[in-house]
Amino acid sequence: MLDNFNISTDQLQVGLYIHLDLKWFEHPFAFSHFKIRNEEQIRTIQGLGLKTVRYDPALSDVAPAPVRSNAPQPQSKTGEQAAAQAVASPALEAKRAMMARIKAQREAAARIEEAFINATKAIREIEKNIFPQPADSVRMANELITQIADSILCAPELAIHVMGDKMGGEEVYFHSLNVTMLSMIIARDIKLPQEVAGALGMGALFHDIGHKNIPDKILTKLDPLTQAEKNFYELHSQYGVEIGERFGFPPAVIAIIRDHHENFDGTGYPRKLKGDAIGVLARIVSIANFYDELCNPLNIAAALTPHEALSMMFAKLRSKFDPKLLQVFIRCLGVYPPGTIVQLSNGVIGMVATINTAKPMKPVVVIYDAGVPRDEAILVDMERETDLNIAKSIRPAQVPKEIYVYLSPRKRVSYYFDAASAGAATA
């Protein structure tokens, strides 16, 4: 691969891929390296007062223009002076607007993270007290589900965020919350009535309540289960029904608990139901549950990335799921769900941080840039950067350690939502 070469700013041409040796806040562009698209960008670069810029022949469409011997040489300036001089530049104004959006996105992420933590704590209390105080626990669960359902189903737009790694000690409750969140996202897309969505949420939250009657040595075993252990484990569906009936759960919730491991092709359990014989709510929870178990298995070394999990479900396991609901799920999460490490078409590596369910192919991506402090990382809204797209996903193991640490994707993938107004959801 060819090295980068320094060229005079007088040699700039549309189609050159250039690197600006300035800090991110010292120039008006979204990235410090990019392909020049128009003459206005050339004038802006020349206005920064740099004598030279680096260009990458391998990524460029053209060669630099010939050196003009009589061309006036720009005076070298500090980045701060250059930025100050360019104060009236439309590009710099766009940069400032971008920085304001990033600040708003960070504030939204902090607010959503707090809501997510509060939800996991509520689920912890519900699960801890479900047997000693069943009536109070069911009431708390109903209140939580009603709140989530109202927010998700009624919002003009819904932004889904991947959570940071700040939880500590709540991991056991993530699965219930994840399955509930993902099920509700499907419910929103298919316009499930609010009262039905409430039953879906309760069933999703308590879908594994039958685990209470399964020994921990089976639930936490990392090696494959023996046939006898597998048979015992599969009883959790029936145990869950018995517990749910004892607590007075409605029939729709009981059906989810019983049937969330049934497969559309008839290969599931406990009754080997097929197709429409499985209730639609159980079919929804089946998809959400399966996806979360692929992303967050007991043995974390076997975890798939969100992109891999969706790809496997669609390409290899499609027969197990209601095809229409699976398509809805993929459309809502996007081909590259939050938490996926990606390479953009300009070569930059980042992580999908947020998607808007209305525009899942245009996520917000947190960008790796060694020149930008990690807690000030660039957030790029793909909807605004029309010349950019996601080229491919990358497995975390294939990413250099410093990039992985910078992007800090969770070991376990969890999502939460921002049911903001249309303008604020992607602020």
Side-chain angles (χ1 to χ4, degrees):
M1 181 174 170
L2 292 170
D3 293 329
N4 297 336
F5 295 97
N6 283 327
I7 59 171
S8 164
T9 54
D10 189 51
Q11 296 178 266
L12 294 176
Q13 293 205 97
V14 173
L16 284 179
Y17 194 99
I18 58 108
H19 294 255
L20 298 175
D21 291 318
L22 294 169
K23 293 179 180 175
W24 185 71
F25 57 82
E26 292 177 344
H27 64 78
F29 300 101
F31 297 95
S32 296
H33 50 97
F34 55 91
K35 188 181 292 182
I36 297 174
R37 299 195 310 267
N38 51 52
E39 294 292 337
E40 184 184 347
Q41 287 185 332
I42 292 176
R43 288 192 293 273
T44 302
I45 296 165
Q46 290 170 337
L48 294 173
L50 296 169
K51 285 185 176 179
T52 62
V53 296
R54 289 183 294 127
Y55 99 98
D56 187 333
L59 298 176
S60 297
D61 297 333
V62 296
V67 178
R68 296 208 317 254
S69 57
N70 61 346
Q73 291 301 308
Q75 296 299 308
S76 181
K77 302 180 181 130
T78 66
E80 288 87 348
Q81 287 172 327
Q85 177 182 305
V87 69
S89 159
L92 188 62
E93 289 304 312
K95 179 67 162 280
R96 286 178 175 156
M98 179 184 184
M99 292 171 80
R101 287 196 303 273
I102 289 173
K103 183 182 178 188
Q105 285 167 328
R106 273 206 193 88
E107 290 169 352
R111 169 173 52 78
I112 295 157
E113 192 104 345
E114 183 177 0
F116 174 72
I117 293 171
N118 289 339
T120 60
K121 287 178 178 174
I123 292 173
R124 179 182 62 191
E125 289 303 305
I126 290 165
E127 294 204 358
K128 186 173 76 174
N129 296 320
I130 190 71
F131 286 106
Q133 300 169 20
D136 285 347
S137 296
V138 171
R139 177 184 53 77
M140 280 181 63
N142 268 309
E143 288 173 1
L144 177 66
I145 294 301
T146 300
Q147 181 183 354
I148 290 172
D150 287 350
S151 299
I152 289 181
L153 299 183
C154 299
E157 291 190 3
L158 190 70
I160 306 170
H161 298 246
V162 66
M163 292 295 97
D165 235 336
K166 301 174 184 173
M167 309 304 141
E170 308 294 340
E171 286 82 356
V172 68
Y173 309 106
F174 288 166
H175 178 64
S176 296
L177 183 55
N178 271 354
V179 174
T180 304
M181 289 292 104
L182 296 167
S183 298
M184 286 295 191
I185 289 163
I186 297 174
R188 171 191 169 89
D189 192 275
I190 64 173
K191 296 180 171 55
L192 211 61
Q194 207 145 342
E195 62 275 12
V196 180
L200 172 67
M202 284 292 283
L205 187 63
F206 289 111
H207 71 281
D208 274 341
I209 195 169
H211 279 186
K212 301 279 187 186
N213 290 355
I214 304 296
D216 283 346
K217 67 179 182 180
I218 291 179
L219 293 177
T220 59
K221 186 179 179 182
L222 297 183
D223 296 326
L225 299 180
T226 65
Q227 190 57 49
E229 290 169 334
K230 192 170 179 240
N231 293 342
F232 196 169
Y233 173 79
E234 289 182 359
L235 290 174
H236 81 269
S237 297
Q238 185 55 40
Y239 292 148
V241 169
E242 293 165 6
I243 294 169
E245 288 174 342
R246 197 188 325 156
F247 292 159
F249 285 162
V253 175
I254 298 285
I256 294 170
I257 294 171
R258 182 189 61 225
D259 296 337
H260 68 277
H261 281 292
E262 297 286 3
N263 293 332
F264 206 71
D265 60 4
T267 60
Y269 65 85
R271 297 185 292 164
K272 297 197 179 301
L273 298 180
K274 191 171 185 178
D276 292 341
I278 310 164
V280 67
L281 302 188
R283 280 181 261 156
I284 291 172
V285 173
S286 166
I287 290 171
N289 180 58
F290 201 95
Y291 171 80
D292 193 61
E293 288 183 344
L294 288 178
C295 293
N296 302 310
L298 271 175
N299 181 3
I300 201 66
L304 299 184
T305 68
H307 174 71
E308 288 173 330
L310 279 188
S311 298
M312 175 178 281
M313 289 173 71
F314 184 75
K316 297 181 180 177
L317 304 172
R318 198 181 326 177
S319 63
K320 292 181 179 293
F321 311 107
D322 181 316
K324 291 180 181 175
L325 291 175
L326 182 60
Q327 285 182 340
V328 166
F329 187 58
I330 292 170
R331 183 172 71 240
C332 288
L333 281 188
V335 177
Y336 302 102
T340 305
I341 298 179
V342 294
Q343 185 170 39
L344 304 186
S345 52
N346 63 354
V348 167
I349 293 176
M351 182 182 71
V352 177
T354 306
I355 62 164
N356 187 316
T357 55
K359 308 176 190 81
M361 295 306 294
K362 297 291 183 182
V364 174
V365 179
V366 57
I367 298 299
Y368 170 74
D369 188 327
V372 178
R374 180 181 163 198
D375 58 357
E376 298 172 16
I378 304 165
L379 292 163
V380 169
D381 186 342
M382 300 293 287
E383 187 179 2
R384 294 176 184 271
E385 298 296 326
T386 53
D387 292 330
L388 270 184
N389 54 61
I390 295 174
K392 62 179 180 179
S393 70
I394 307 174
R395 282 195 68 97
Q398 297 171 327
V399 177
K401 186 177 180 183
E402 68 274 12
I403 299 180
Y404 182 87
V405 170
Y406 185 101
L407 296 173
S408 68
R410 286 181 52 79
K411 290 177 183 169
R412 295 189 177 275
V413 179
S414 293
Y415 301 134
Y416 209 62
F417 65 95
D418 186 14
S421 63
T426 54

